[in-house]
Amino acid sequence: LVISCPCALVISIPLGYFGGIGNASRKGILVKGSNFLDALTQVKTVVFDKTGTLTKGEFKVSEIVTSNGFSKEEILEYAAYAETNSNHPVAKSICEAFGKDKDFTRIKEVEEIPGHGIKAVIDAKTVLAGNDKFLHKENIAHPVCNVEGTVVHVTINRIYAGYIIISDTLKDDAIEAIEKLRAKNIQTIMLTGDNQYASEAFAKKLKIDRYYYELLPGDKVKHIEDFITENKGGKVAFVGDGINDAPVIARADIGIAMGALGSDAVIETADVVLMTDSPSKVSIAIDVAAKTRNIVWQNIFFAMGVKLLFIVLGLAGIATMWEAVFGDMGVALIAVFNAIRVLKA
C-alpha cells in the first residue's frame, strides 16, 4: 500500500510543467498553460506575419514619385489627410512625414477598404490612397504597377498623382530566428498583405521556406487551415502582432503574439506571448518545451520503474517498510528535485 502511493507522479509532473512555464517567463516568454507548452514540442511549421513581427514596423517615407503634373507636396498632403484616422503603421509614417497641423474640416468622407486602402473626400476632391490592387479595382489608369518596397499609390479625382515609397527594416534577430527554426527541421512561412516585390525582397533576406503576399485577414485564415491540413501529426504555430492577426492566431494550433507592440486583441487571443517582440524567442520557447517534456517523462519512467521494482520485492517478502518508505517518499523527493532542473534549463 505504501509503495503504490502515487505521490511521485502527482507532485512531479505538474511541478515539471510549472517549472517549464517559470523558465519561459524568465526568458520573456509567457505561456498560458501546460497544454500549450506541451503542444510546442509538436510544432512542425511556424508561420510569421511580416510587418511588426519579422520587421520593426518603423515605417518612414523614403521617396515620393510624382505623375501627371502633381507636386510631391500635394501627394503627401492629400495622402496624409486621407490616412489621418488610420492606426496602420504605414498611415502613421505618412502623417509623420507631412508633419503639419491638419484642418479636419477639409475632410468630408473617409472609407477604409480592407486590404486595399482608403477612399476620402478632401476639399470636395475624391482621393484614393492604397495599393496597386486598389487602383485596378477602381479602374484607374496608372503607369507603374510593380514597385519594390511598401508603396502607397495616390489618385485625385480619379487622376493618378504618383506614389509614396515606405521603407521598413528587418528586426535584428529575424534572420537568426529563421535559421534556428530551420536547424530544428521546422518549416517557416511568411504571410503578408504587402505586394509581391516587397515580400520577395524580405523573403530572400530571411531565406524563408515559403511566402504568400497581398493577403487579406480572411486569406491568412484560409492559408493557416491549409497548413494545418498539410501538417498531419504536427502542429502549426502562427506569430503575429496586429489586430488583423487575431483571427489567424485563434485558428492556429498555437497562437504566438508580440507582447510589447502587439494589439490587446492579439495578446488576449494568443496562447504564447513574447514580451520582448523578438522572433528568435519562438525557438527558445520550443527548446524550453522540449526540455520540460523530457524531464517529465524521466520522472514518469523513474517513478513507475522504482515502484514496480519494490512491489515485486514486496510480494517476494524481501522489501520491508524502510524500502516501502523510500519507494514512496524517497522517489517523490528525487522526482521533485529532477523537476526543479527545468527552471535552470
Side-chain angles (χ1 to χ4, degrees):
L1 184 64
V2 174
I3 293 169
S4 63
C5 181
C7 290
L9 295 175
V10 173
I11 295 172
S12 66
I13 294 175
L15 188 61
Y17 282 110
F18 295 157
I21 292 171
N23 188 0
S25 67
R26 284 181 175 181
K27 294 174 169 59
I29 304 164
L30 175 62
V31 182
K32 298 182 180 180
S34 58
N35 53 330
F36 302 123
L37 195 66
D38 212 40
L40 281 169
T41 64
Q42 304 170 49
V43 170
K44 297 298 180 186
T45 300
V46 177
V47 185
F48 291 92
D49 171 50
K50 182 179 78 67
T51 305
T53 302
L54 291 171
T55 66
K56 294 179 179 179
E58 297 173 354
F59 290 100
K60 292 183 180 179
V61 172
S62 58
E63 187 177 358
I64 301 174
V65 179
T66 62
S67 185
N68 294 320
F70 289 93
S71 67
K72 293 183 179 180
E73 290 74 19
E74 283 180 290
I75 295 172
L76 184 60
E77 181 180 5
Y78 280 108
Y81 269 88
E83 301 278 12
T84 294
N85 296 318
S86 176
N87 289 322
H88 195 281
V90 171
K92 290 180 179 179
S93 69
I94 291 173
C95 293
E96 287 174 7
F98 180 58
K100 299 177 183 177
D101 293 333
K102 300 184 185 74
D103 179 6
F104 296 105
T105 59
R106 295 172 60 187
I107 306 171
K108 300 303 179 185
E109 296 178 21
V110 177
E111 179 186 2
E112 187 168 351
I113 294 88
H116 291 79
I118 289 178
K119 181 187 288 187
V121 176
I122 302 164
D123 297 336
K125 298 176 182 177
T126 301
V127 177
L128 303 183
N131 54 27
D132 179 65
K133 189 163 55 175
F134 194 17
L135 299 187
H136 285 288
K137 180 184 176 184
E138 296 289 332
N139 294 317
I140 295 175
H142 53 290
V144 178
C145 286
N146 301 324
V147 180
E148 187 172 321
T150 300
V151 61
V152 176
H153 295 278
V154 180
T155 72
I156 300 171
N157 280 340
R158 300 189 64 80
I159 299 173
Y160 186 68
Y163 60 86
I164 302 170
I165 296 178
I166 314 294
S167 61
D168 193 10
T169 55
L170 286 173
K171 288 185 177 177
D172 297 335
D173 63 335
I175 294 174
E176 177 191 354
I178 302 301
E179 287 175 348
K180 284 183 174 180
L181 292 172
R182 188 182 293 112
K184 301 180 192 299
N185 294 319
I186 294 174
Q187 179 183 213
T188 54
I189 301 173
M190 182 177 74
L191 302 181
T192 177
D194 268 354
N195 62 54
Q196 177 182 352
Y197 295 88
S199 307
E200 193 173 65
F202 281 111
K204 285 181 178 178
K205 290 178 185 176
L206 291 164
K207 297 180 181 178
I208 208 158
D209 295 324
R210 292 151 65 186
Y211 64 96
Y212 299 84
Y213 48 87
E214 295 181 359
L215 301 177
L216 300 174
D219 297 329
K220 291 183 179 181
V221 174
K222 178 65 170 62
H223 278 294
I224 284 291
E225 290 174 344
D226 292 341
F227 300 149
I228 291 172
T229 304
E230 291 173 14
N231 282 266
K232 293 179 180 178
K235 300 290 186 183
V236 176
F238 179 82
V239 190
D241 71 309
I243 191 169
N244 289 337
D245 295 328
V248 201
I249 282 178
R251 181 64 187 87
D253 293 322
I254 305 167
I256 303 176
M258 296 294 174
L261 297 176
S263 69
D264 293 342
V266 166
I267 293 170
E268 188 172 340
T269 307
D271 309 312
V272 179
V273 181
L274 308 180
M275 302 309 297
T276 59
D277 282 359
S278 301
S280 61
K281 291 291 180 72
V282 175
S283 178
I284 294 173
I286 293 172
D287 286 338
V288 171
K291 185 67 175 178
T292 302
R293 189 180 179 86
N294 287 340
I295 288 177
V296 166
W297 276 108
Q298 285 172 15
N299 284 339
I300 291 172
F301 287 128
F302 174 71
M304 295 298 291
V306 172
K307 285 182 178 292
L308 183 61
L309 173 63
F310 278 103
I311 286 174
V312 171
L313 293 176
L315 290 172
I318 299 172
T320 65
M321 183 56 71
W322 286 109
E323 284 79 6
V325 170
F326 173 78
D328 173 31
M329 191 53 63
V331 170
L333 289 173
I334 292 171
V336 166
F337 290 134
N338 190 41
I340 291 173
R341 290 197 304 122
V342 182
L343 286 170
K344 299 180 180 179

